[in-house]
Amino acid sequence: MDTSRARPSGERGSDFARLSRRIAQEGLLRKRPGYYTARITMVAGLFAASWALFAWVGDSWWQLAVAVLMAVTFGQVTLLAHDLAHGQISRSRRISRIAGLITGNLAIGLSYGWWMDKHTRHHANPNHEDRDPDVSPDFLVWSERQAEASRGLPRFVGRWQALLFFPLLTLEGLNLKVSSFRALRRKSLKNRTLEGLLLSAHVLAYAGALFLVLPPGLALTFLIVHQACYGVYLGCTFAPNHKGMPVLTAEDELDFLRRQVLTSRNVRGGRLVNTALGGLNYQIEHHLFPSMPTANLRRAQPIVREYCESLGIDYVECGLFQSWGQALRHLHEVGRQLREAAAT
């Protein structure tokens, strides 16, 4: 996978180093306290308002509409926790961690420490079938090699994984909570006791609110709708970024710039898409500069795109529905050999 061209004469450092200097000169790595103050205020207001609406509606099937709204709210809080984990909001790791524990563990029931470790490994080796935890063959298989080696449930699901992808996303909210509690058994997880207490407090407060305000049947229905929509929202936010892009193996020796750009995809769209995806629609720029504030990614895009074109590096960008289509076609193609094996 050779996409290199001759380096311009007179310029020092790696291809990424030269791009990084240009980005720094434009001031795009500077923090944006004003932007994040406004965003945190709006998300916190939406979070509080959704719970207030839940209490006001009370024992009514209109609560299912509130469950959908709350799924969006939880998704926006998750995106804030993501920015905290990357140090986009504050330079202080201590402040970022405290805020991350509040937004992650306490507010939405997601272990900040576990998710941060998992996401850091993803950023180091995106779409690498052996090193990226986001493409590990738990239920779905992401490469032909994984499909060939699959056994049990992944082999069964892999046959029709393109059709099952969105239905399976309804379980992602529950999966994140289960994984968060399972992570508490790891000795490598920092502040395990505090994380466990905050996760337990979230579960107790969440379940207590549902069953105090709603009758059991409606409470369970609310829980199912809320967690299912939350999982789909998260899946539709993160899946367009890498799914369907090249899956790397140990044989692929790429430098940092190419490893990040060739495995990522940007999603075109206006302010609505940018808000819904939390800026992750500028995935290429985000992977190259993870600590760059979300508000600066749009300004960095033309610089990065022009630079990649000058080096002959494929810079992929498409619409939101196109990105989902590419991801589903990739899943369908990977599952082909499993369908053929089952047929014979």
Side-chain angles (χ1 to χ4, degrees):
M1 190 181 295
D2 184 10
T3 61
S4 61
R5 286 185 181 177
R7 180 180 302 172
S9 60
E11 296 194 38
R12 297 176 292 103
S14 66
D15 290 335
F16 174 71
R18 291 184 288 115
L19 174 62
S20 183
R21 285 196 294 269
R22 170 86 181 276
I23 292 294
Q25 289 169 0
E26 296 291 332
L28 297 178
L29 299 178
R30 297 172 187 164
K31 301 305 177 188
R32 297 285 300 272
Y35 163 78
Y36 275 111
T37 298
R39 181 175 165 188
I40 290 171
T41 301
M42 287 189 290
V43 172
L46 180 62
F47 186 81
S50 63
W51 279 112
L53 182 62
F54 168 82
W56 180 75
V57 172
D59 184 4
S60 168
W61 286 100
W62 283 105
Q63 287 285 14
L64 299 187
V66 179
V68 176
L69 171 64
M70 198 170 289
V72 175
T73 301
F74 271 46
Q76 286 294 312
V77 174
T78 305
L79 291 170
L80 267 182
H82 167 271
D83 288 9
L84 284 164
H86 282 297
Q88 296 179 17
I89 300 177
S90 173
R91 290 186 177 88
S92 170
R93 291 186 179 182
R94 183 171 181 271
I95 292 176
S96 296
R97 183 165 187 82
I98 293 173
L101 289 171
I102 293 172
T103 56
N105 294 58
L106 186 59
I108 58 176
L110 173 65
S111 170
Y112 178 77
W114 163 75
W115 184 85
M116 184 176 179
D117 173 72
K118 173 177 177 289
H119 196 62
T120 299
R121 288 185 284 123
H122 156 71
H123 265 263
N125 292 282
N127 260 28
H128 193 291
E129 65 177 9
D130 298 320
R131 301 171 186 170
D132 184 355
D134 288 353
V135 292
S136 60
D138 294 330
F139 287 100
L140 305 177
V141 289
W142 301 100
S143 69
E144 293 182 359
R145 187 179 302 183
Q146 288 182 350
E148 184 178 356
S150 63
R151 298 291 183 272
L153 188 59
R155 189 170 186 85
F156 176 77
V157 172
R159 301 175 195 173
W160 311 108
Q161 57 186 9
L163 294 174
L164 295 173
F165 180 69
F166 283 107
L168 286 173
L169 286 181
T170 61
L171 302 175
E172 183 60 18
L174 177 62
N175 175 55
L176 290 175
K177 286 178 171 53
V178 172
S179 297
S180 295
F181 276 98
R182 290 176 60 187
L184 297 176
R185 297 180 296 180
R186 300 179 185 175
K187 294 182 179 180
S188 60
L189 181 67
K190 296 180 180 179
N191 303 314
R192 285 191 298 165
T193 301
L194 178 58
E195 289 230 10
L197 289 173
L198 291 175
L199 286 173
S200 299
H202 166 81
V203 171
L204 291 174
Y206 178 81
L210 263 58
F211 286 95
L212 282 175
V213 174
L214 306 177
L218 182 55
L220 286 173
T221 305
F222 182 98
L223 186 151
I224 292 171
V225 172
H226 175 219
Q227 294 300 322
C229 291
Y230 174 52
V232 171
Y233 180 31
L234 285 185
C236 291
T237 299
F238 287 91
N241 306 329
H242 301 282
K243 308 313 180 189
M245 298 302 292
V247 177
L248 304 182
T249 66
E251 288 75 30
D252 294 309
E253 298 181 1
L254 300 175
D255 64 1
F256 179 82
L257 176 68
R258 289 161 179 80
R259 184 166 69 248
Q260 302 299 335
V261 174
L262 295 175
T263 59
S264 303
R265 177 199 296 115
N266 275 14
V267 178
R268 288 192 295 266
R271 184 171 298 178
L272 178 61
V273 171
N274 190 47
T275 301
L277 301 188
L280 295 182
N281 44 313
Y282 299 108
Q283 188 67 192
I284 295 174
E285 289 71 29
H286 169 61
H287 259 258
L288 289 172
F289 305 98
S291 63
M292 180 184 291
T294 297
N296 289 345
L297 294 173
R298 178 179 60 84
R299 294 168 55 197
Q301 184 193 26
I303 299 174
V304 174
R305 180 170 52 198
E306 179 183 357
Y307 185 75
C308 289
E309 290 174 354
S310 71
L311 294 176
I313 302 174
D314 290 339
Y315 183 100
V316 179
E317 186 179 22
C318 65
L320 181 61
F321 294 106
Q322 287 177 295
S323 69
W324 292 343
Q326 290 177 20
L328 294 177
R329 284 193 294 272
H330 173 78
L331 287 171
H332 185 71
E333 184 61 29
V334 169
R336 179 189 300 276
Q337 61 178 297
L338 298 180
R339 293 191 298 275
E340 293 176 348
T344 56

